[in-house]
Amino acid sequence: MKLLEKMLSASSDFSEYFATAFSVDNIIFGFDEADLKILLIRRGLERQTPIYQHMWALPGDLVHPTEDLDTAAYRVLEELTGVKNVYLEQVKAFGAVKRHPVGRVITILYFSLVKISRYEVMPNSFADEAQWHTIGSIRQLALAFDHNDIVETGFNALKQRVRVAPIGFELLPPKFTLTELQQLYEAILERTLEKRNFRKKILSMDFIVDLNESQEGVAHRPARLYEFNQAKYEKLVANGFNFEI
Amino acid sequence: MKLLEKMLSASSDFSEYFATAFSVDNIIFGFDEADLKILLIRRGLERQTPIYQHMWALPGDLVHPTEDLDTAAYRVLEELTGVKNVYLEQVKAFGAVKRHPVGRVITILYFSLVKISRYEVMPNSFADEAQWHTIGSIRQLALAFDHNDIVETGFNALKQRVRVAPIGFELLPPKFTLTELQQLYEAILERTLEKRNFRKKILSMDFIVDLNESQEGVAHRPARLYEFNQAKYEKLVANGFNFEI
DNA sequence: GCAAAAGTGTTTACAGTACACCCATGG
DNA sequence: CCATGGGTGTACTGTAAACACTTTTGC
């Protein structure tokens, strides 16, 4: 039975099929002081339906009727963080019938990668309170809705993606040290990496370039600074290169 | 602005946010005579909205209000093919505002893998006409809606998945030869593989077992038959094994 | 001169790749 | 006996993994 077709052409009442809302949720990743963090909002208070009150949740919103999904996810991100030009990727849809206690709400999960240093939370624009949480601390929390499951799924998606695409750089400032890069990969992959092998591998890929600059003001030998070179990377990909960590 | 929350709690009219339908579409893969094929339906005729008439499209339907997404995808599959216990996996959501000419319809894409030998199309139950198409021939066709894009996305998802999970077996009969398995991987990956190396690699993984049986009635040396052993595979995974082709 | 992190090379083992011939069966 | 696809081994190459010490700076 082709419900969609009937609905759109026949005169029968298919309004029940429109009794579903859909939203986007966004796992916003940041990297700070060797920790991978996720931006959560605390459910409040004046503006929201009184369910899951005071609990932490992923930022999200309904999708406007004339808005693409990616646009909606991007809007949520921008309203919350104020940043633009951010890496954003869809993960998947969550649509269990009872996942929202008030009605049927299907949500499309995204993750985004922001340079945490550049960013300021704007708590009064969107959420009553917003805060970065490590993945470890989130696992100790009961989040609103099915957001614990959703976070695990999104984190796994990041783990997979980071192995085949050079997106980790989106989480670092434009100039970074190899130690920072290694700590980032360790945080995402949740395991330690061997320093010499990591450096060999990363440098052999030939799309991060040595800036011939050094850290300043550190109480030890200053590290060299590098940057990611998108053009070099794309040239390699065009020639059949395959990124793997 | 937390639209979802306002909508559910306030008395304002948010009905425009319910003016969106959502559906599932399913890329049903089968493997037959060394070709990877996708089951398409021809848009017809009596039952459907007169758009994209006579064009080929992916099978899909609206999601019922009290139905999980996976269930809906499974239902589409079962109504069309009659088969059960089939591998099914969500790919992603497609939600461009204008992707459906009649209204806003967000669709969740799935792919499923069926053993083509076991299956009979039931054209009178669901679609006016259903037919297997090779990926090559689909690329020559203009499909309805944005289904050409969707097919490419879904096919790429299969390509990725098959490299890290042993799901190829879902497309083969329970007993298969190594040549059939190789042809399957060649069809999915769209490249040739070297016979000796392929066999070494597959057999070294140790979860396909030699049945000590042979093909019958072939006009050449009969091939040995193998089967996939799920229990062995899971044991390996539990011990930290990682499948790769 | 000491604390702290940066930086660097070599060896070993394993997996990927390339490659060509004999075997078993039906007709 | 011929046509057809089935089945096998070896050498080479490159990448992954394991591993410990020296260097540079600030204080």
Side-chain angles (χ1 to χ4, degrees), chain B residues 47-68:
Chain B
R47 290 198 200 79
Q48 299 180 326
T49 316
I51 50 172
Y52 296 116
Q53 284 241 42
H54 310 294
M55 293 176 79
W56 292 100
L58 292 170
D61 196 8
L62 285 186
V63 179
H64 295 330
T66 58
E67 182 182 48
D68 287 345

Side-chain angles (χ1 to χ4, degrees), chain A residues 1-9 14 16-23 41 43 47-51 58-70 75 79 90-98 100 102-106 108 110 125-126 145 160 163-164 242 244, chain B residues 1-9 14 16-23 41 43 47-51 58-70 75 79 90-98 100 102-106 108 110 125-126 145 160 163-164 242 244:
Chain A
M1 177 69 70
K2 298 281 291 179
L3 281 165
L4 174 57
E5 304 300 339
K6 274 176 97 172
M7 184 190 76
L8 293 170
S9 64
F14 281 89
E16 59 178 324
Y17 287 96
F18 284 119
T20 301
F22 66 101
S23 62
I41 59 170
R43 286 183 64 81
R47 291 198 201 77
Q48 299 179 326
T49 317
I51 50 172
L58 292 170
D61 196 8
L62 285 186
V63 179
H64 295 332
T66 58
E67 182 182 48
D68 287 343
L69 298 177
D70 295 359
R75 175 173 52 80
E79 284 177 356
Q90 193 197 116
V91 180
K92 64 172 285 191
F94 291 78
V97 173
K98 312 223 159 182
H100 196 297
V102 177
R104 180 87 196 262
V105 181
I106 287 169
I108 318 290
Y110 282 77
S125 77
F126 182 109
F145 307 102
Q160 300 303 317
R163 299 184 74 91
V164 294
N242 186 23
E244 291 269 345
Chain B
M1 176 69 70
K2 297 280 292 178
L3 282 166
L4 174 57
E5 304 299 341
K6 276 177 96 171
M7 182 190 76
L8 294 170
S9 65
F14 280 90
E16 58 178 324
Y17 287 96
F18 285 118
T20 300
F22 65 101
S23 62
I41 59 171
R43 287 183 63 80
R47 290 198 200 79
Q48 299 180 326
T49 316
I51 50 172
L58 292 170
D61 196 8
L62 285 186
V63 179
H64 295 330
T66 58
E67 182 182 48
D68 287 345
L69 297 177
D70 295 358
R75 175 173 54 78
E79 284 176 355
Q90 194 198 114
V91 180
K92 65 172 285 192
F94 290 79
V97 173
K98 313 222 160 184
H100 195 298
V102 177
R104 181 88 196 262
V105 180
I106 288 168
I108 319 289
Y110 282 78
S125 77
F126 182 109
F145 308 101
Q160 299 303 318
R163 297 184 75 91
V164 295
N242 185 21
E244 291 269 345

Side-chain angles (χ1 to χ4, degrees), chain B:
Chain B
M1 176 69 70
K2 297 280 292 178
L3 282 166
L4 174 57
E5 304 299 341
K6 276 177 96 171
M7 182 190 76
L8 294 170
S9 65
S11 56
S12 338
D13 179 16
F14 280 90
S15 58
E16 58 178 324
Y17 287 96
F18 285 118
T20 300
F22 65 101
S23 62
V24 290
D25 284 307
N26 201 333
I27 305 186
I28 301 169
F29 287 105
F31 182 67
D32 187 32
E33 294 167 15
D35 279 321
L36 185 67
K37 294 183 176 169
I38 293 173
L39 190 56
L40 299 181
I41 59 171
R42 188 188 281 281
R43 287 183 63 80
L45 300 168
E46 314 84 35
R47 290 198 200 79
Q48 299 180 326
T49 316
I51 50 172
Y52 296 116
Q53 284 241 42
H54 310 294
M55 293 176 79
W56 292 100
L58 292 170
D61 196 8
L62 285 186
V63 179
H64 295 330
T66 58
E67 182 182 48
D68 287 345
L69 297 177
D70 295 358
T71 311
Y74 203 80
R75 175 173 54 78
V76 166
L77 174 70
E78 199 184 323
E79 284 176 355
L80 183 57
T81 64
V83 296
K84 299 191 178 205
N85 298 317
V86 161
Y87 186 85
L88 181 76
E89 183 174 328
Q90 194 198 114
V91 180
K92 65 172 285 192
F94 290 79
V97 173
K98 313 222 160 184
R99 61 172 295 283
H100 195 298
V102 177
R104 181 88 196 262
V105 180
I106 288 168
T107 197
I108 319 289
L109 177 64
Y110 282 78
F111 73 77
S112 45
L113 307 179
V114 307
K115 301 184 205 306
I116 215 167
S117 53
R118 235 175 60 184
Y119 136 100
E120 298 288 330
V121 182
M122 296 175 158
N124 45 355
S125 77
F126 182 109
D128 297 288
E129 202 180 340
Q131 204 170 95
W132 293 101
H133 296 253
T134 64
I135 183 79
S137 68
I138 288 176
R139 286 177 176 142
Q140 312 289 320
L141 287 174
L143 303 183
F145 308 101
D146 52 356
H147 286 189
N148 286 91
D149 285 350
I150 290 183
V151 166
E152 287 303 323
T153 301
F155 185 40
N156 282 329
L158 175 62
K159 273 186 189 177
Q160 299 303 318
R161 281 294 288 160
V162 90
R163 297 184 75 91
V164 295
I167 59 176
F169 306 95
E170 303 288 343
L171 289 161
L172 292 175
K175 300 178 180 186
F176 52 85
T177 70
L178 292 183
T179 299
E180 287 167 345
L181 186 61
Q182 182 178 340
Q183 287 170 337
L184 170 63
Y185 275 95
E186 289 180 337
I188 294 174
L189 299 174
E190 295 188 289
R191 65 189 188 90
T192 58
L193 300 168
E194 209 278 327
K195 184 164 64 166
R196 282 165 291 192
N197 296 336
F198 179 79
R199 285 167 183 242
K200 254 181 295 181
K201 196 158 184 175
I202 286 289
L203 292 176
S204 77
M205 288 176 183
D206 200 42
F207 50 71
I208 78 161
V209 301
D210 186 342
L211 293 169
N212 285 309
E213 294 176 50
S214 294
Q215 283 181 312
E216 284 174 23
V218 289
H220 54 76
R221 175 172 174 177
R224 301 180 78 83
L225 295 173
Y226 293 81
E227 69 176 2
F228 174 63
N229 187 317
Q230 185 75 30
K232 274 198 170 184
Y233 170 71
E234 277 163 14
K235 206 163 180 179
L236 284 168
V237 169
N239 296 333
F241 176 80
N242 185 21
F243 178 93
E244 291 269 345
I245 287 281

